[in-house]
Amino acid sequence: GSMERAIAETDRRRERQVAYNTEHGITPESVKRDIKEILESPYESRDLDRLTKPGVAEASKPFVGTNFQAALRDLEGRMREAASNLEFEEAARLRDEIKRMKLMDLEFANEALTGA
Protein backbone atom coordinates (compact mmCIF):
# COMPACT_ATOMS: atom_id res chain seq x y z
CA GLY A 1 0.00 0.00 0.00
CA SER A 2 0.90 3.62 0.41
CA MET A 3 3.16 3.03 3.43
CA GLU A 4 5.28 0.55 1.48
CA ARG A 5 5.60 3.03 -1.40
CA ALA A 6 6.58 5.81 1.01
CA ILE A 7 9.18 3.61 2.71
CA ALA A 8 10.54 2.47 -0.67
CA GLU A 9 10.85 6.10 -1.82
CA THR A 10 12.63 7.05 1.42
CA ASP A 11 15.03 4.15 0.96
CA ARG A 12 15.65 5.14 -2.68
CA ARG A 13 16.44 8.72 -1.68
CA ARG A 14 18.67 7.59 1.18
CA GLU A 15 20.66 5.30 -1.15
CA ARG A 16 21.08 8.13 -3.63
CA GLN A 17 22.21 10.54 -0.89
CA VAL A 18 24.70 8.04 0.55
CA ALA A 19 26.13 7.40 -2.93
CA TYR A 20 26.49 11.14 -3.55
CA ASN A 21 28.12 11.68 -0.15
CA THR A 22 30.55 8.79 -0.73
CA GLU A 23 31.43 10.01 -4.23
CA HIS A 24 32.16 13.53 -2.96
CA GLY A 25 33.81 12.57 0.34
CA ILE A 26 31.06 14.12 2.45
CA THR A 27 30.52 13.05 6.05
CA PRO A 28 27.06 14.16 7.21
CA GLU A 29 26.95 16.14 10.45
CA SER A 30 24.04 17.43 12.48
CA VAL A 31 23.41 21.15 12.34
CA LYS A 32 23.95 22.71 15.76
CA ARG A 33 22.29 26.10 16.19
CA ASP A 34 20.41 27.99 18.83
CA ILE A 35 16.78 28.65 17.98
CA LYS A 36 17.42 32.37 18.58
CA GLU A 37 20.14 32.32 15.90
CA ILE A 38 17.75 30.68 13.44
CA LEU A 39 14.94 33.15 14.11
CA GLU A 40 17.31 36.12 13.67
CA SER A 41 18.41 34.83 10.27
CA PRO A 42 17.49 37.06 7.32
CA TYR A 43 15.98 33.95 5.70
CA GLU A 44 13.35 33.81 8.45
CA SER A 45 12.45 37.50 8.21
CA ARG A 46 9.06 38.09 6.61
CA ASP A 47 10.00 41.76 6.16
CA LEU A 48 12.46 40.81 3.44
CA ASP A 49 9.96 38.72 1.45
CA ARG A 50 8.80 41.75 -0.51
CA LEU A 51 12.40 42.49 -1.51
CA THR A 52 13.46 38.96 -2.38
CA LYS A 53 10.57 37.61 -4.45
CA PRO A 54 12.29 35.58 -7.15
CA GLY A 55 10.75 35.37 -10.57
CA VAL A 56 7.77 37.74 -10.53
CA ALA A 57 8.28 41.50 -10.26
CA GLU A 58 5.66 43.70 -8.62
CA ALA A 59 5.29 45.83 -11.75
CA SER A 60 4.80 42.87 -14.09
CA LYS A 61 1.38 42.21 -15.55
CA PRO A 62 -0.44 39.17 -14.14
CA PHE A 63 -0.65 36.06 -16.29
CA VAL A 64 -3.97 35.59 -18.01
CA GLY A 65 -5.87 32.37 -18.71
CA THR A 66 -3.89 29.52 -20.22
CA ASN A 67 -0.55 31.38 -19.97
CA PHE A 68 -0.92 31.48 -16.20
CA GLN A 69 -1.95 27.81 -16.00
CA ALA A 70 0.91 26.77 -18.29
CA ALA A 71 3.40 28.74 -16.18
CA LEU A 72 2.08 27.08 -13.00
CA ARG A 73 2.27 23.61 -14.55
CA ASP A 74 5.84 24.30 -15.69
CA LEU A 75 6.90 25.48 -12.23
CA GLU A 76 5.18 22.52 -10.54
CA GLY A 77 6.96 20.11 -12.90
CA ARG A 78 10.31 21.78 -12.22
CA MET A 79 9.60 21.66 -8.46
CA ARG A 80 8.84 17.92 -8.56
CA GLU A 81 11.93 17.25 -10.70
CA ALA A 82 14.14 19.21 -8.30
CA ALA A 83 12.73 17.27 -5.33
CA SER A 84 13.27 13.91 -7.03
CA ASN A 85 16.89 14.99 -7.71
CA LEU A 86 17.31 15.82 -4.00
CA GLU A 87 17.62 19.54 -4.81
CA PHE A 88 15.41 20.54 -1.92
CA GLU A 89 16.43 24.20 -1.74
CA GLU A 90 15.48 24.70 -5.39
CA ALA A 91 12.24 22.75 -4.89
CA ALA A 92 11.36 24.95 -1.91
CA ARG A 93 12.15 28.12 -3.88
CA LEU A 94 9.90 26.96 -6.71
CA ARG A 95 7.16 26.02 -4.22
CA ASP A 96 7.30 29.53 -2.77
CA GLU A 97 7.17 31.06 -6.23
CA ILE A 98 4.11 28.94 -7.07
CA LYS A 99 2.41 30.12 -3.87
CA ARG A 100 3.17 33.75 -4.73
CA MET A 101 1.80 33.33 -8.24
CA LYS A 102 -1.41 31.75 -6.94
CA LEU A 103 -1.78 34.56 -4.42
CA MET A 104 -1.24 37.15 -7.16
CA ASP A 105 -3.89 35.41 -9.26
CA LEU A 106 -6.36 35.54 -6.35
CA GLU A 107 -5.60 39.21 -5.77
CA PHE A 108 -6.04 39.94 -9.47
CA ALA A 109 -9.36 38.06 -9.55
CA ASN A 110 -10.53 39.90 -6.42
CA GLU A 111 -9.66 43.28 -7.99
CA ALA A 112 -11.48 42.31 -11.16
CA LEU A 113 -14.61 41.31 -9.20
CA THR A 114 -14.66 44.21 -6.76
CA GLY A 115 -13.30 46.88 -9.06
CA ALA A 116 -10.81 47.82 -6.32
Side-chain angles (χ1 to χ4, degrees):
S2 60
M3 286 299 294
E4 289 82 10
R5 287 192 306 273
I7 292 169
E9 178 63 12
T10 300
D11 290 342
R12 182 191 73 81
R13 289 181 182 192
R14 182 174 293 123
E15 287 173 16
R16 189 169 177 170
Q17 186 68 58
V18 168
Y20 178 89
N21 290 351
T22 302
E23 179 182 335
H24 293 90
I26 296 171
T27 304
E29 294 180 19
S30 293
V31 175
K32 296 177 179 125
R33 287 175 140 180
D34 291 334
I35 190 72
K36 184 178 179 184
E37 179 184 344
I38 293 169
L39 292 176
E40 290 173 352
S41 163
Y43 298 107
E44 293 298 317
S45 170
R46 297 297 159 230
D47 294 335
L48 292 180
D49 283 352
R50 60 185 169 76
L51 302 174
T52 60
K53 290 183 179 181
V56 181
E58 284 289 326
S60 67
K61 294 182 181 176
F63 291 99
V64 179
T66 57
N67 288 341
F68 180 78
Q69 296 303 324
L72 275 181
R73 279 193 304 274
D74 177 60
L75 285 174
E76 288 169 348
R78 289 171 38 202
M79 177 186 68
R80 286 187 181 88
E81 183 179 343
S84 70
N85 291 331
L86 306 178
E87 297 167 352
F88 300 117
E89 291 86 0
E90 176 67 7
R93 187 190 68 75
L94 290 167
R95 177 204 61 211
D96 293 344
E97 188 167 345
I98 290 166
K99 285 181 182 179
R100 277 190 289 278
M101 286 179 65
K102 288 181 177 178
L103 183 61
M104 274 183 38
D105 187 45
L106 288 173
E107 289 172 357
F108 178 71
N110 185 44
E111 288 175 9
L113 290 173
T114 62

